[in-house]
Amino acid sequence: MILESAILYVKPELQEQFEKDFQTAGQYISSIKGYIRHSLSKCIEQPDKYLLLVEWETLEDHTIGFRESPKYLEWKNLLHHYYDLFPIVEHYTSVISNNI
C-alpha cells in the first residue's frame, strides 16, 4: 500500500466552495484502479491549508493510472484553480503500522 500526501493551500475566499467541489471530485479519484480510500483534513492553525491523504495499491496506480487518465483532467479542471500554490505531493510506504 502506498500513501499519497498532498498539502493544498486554498485561496481563503474560495475555501467553502472548494470543500463542496472536493466532494464531487471524489468520484473521479475513487473510480481509478488501485484506489483504496482518501480523506481531506483542514489545518486548525492555518485555515487555508488542507491535507489530502490517498491510499493506493501501488505508486503507479496514482502516477500513471490516475494522473494519465481522463478522470484526472476532470479533477484538475474542477480543483486546481482553488490553489494558491501548486500542491506538494509525496508518496510513502508503511514502515510500522499499529491498528488501534
Side-chain angles (χ1 to χ4, degrees), residues 48-61:
D48 64 329
K49 185 178 182 180
Y50 290 78
L51 173 63
L52 169 62
L53 297 175
V54 185
E55 292 181 21
W56 298 97
E57 290 180 16
T58 69
L59 177 62
E60 293 75 20
D61 289 332

Side-chain angles (χ1 to χ4, degrees), residues 9-69:
Y9 290 94
V10 176
K11 297 171 186 169
E13 68 278 11
L14 301 177
Q15 291 172 9
E16 187 175 326
Q17 188 60 46
F18 167 74
E19 292 174 16
K20 289 177 186 172
D21 283 347
F22 198 92
Q23 289 181 339
T24 300
Q27 68 184 327
Y28 303 136
I29 197 169
S30 64
S31 69
I32 300 299
K33 178 191 166 296
Y35 165 89
I36 300 170
R37 74 179 127 259
H38 73 275
S39 66
L40 179 69
S41 301
K42 187 172 184 172
C43 183
I44 294 170
E45 292 81 11
Q46 281 182 266
D48 64 329
K49 185 178 182 180
Y50 290 78
L51 173 63
L52 169 62
L53 297 175
V54 185
E55 292 181 21
W56 298 97
E57 290 180 16
T58 69
L59 177 62
E60 293 75 20
D61 289 332
H62 176 232
T63 59
I64 297 169
F66 181 53
R67 287 250 178 105
E68 294 183 8
S69 74

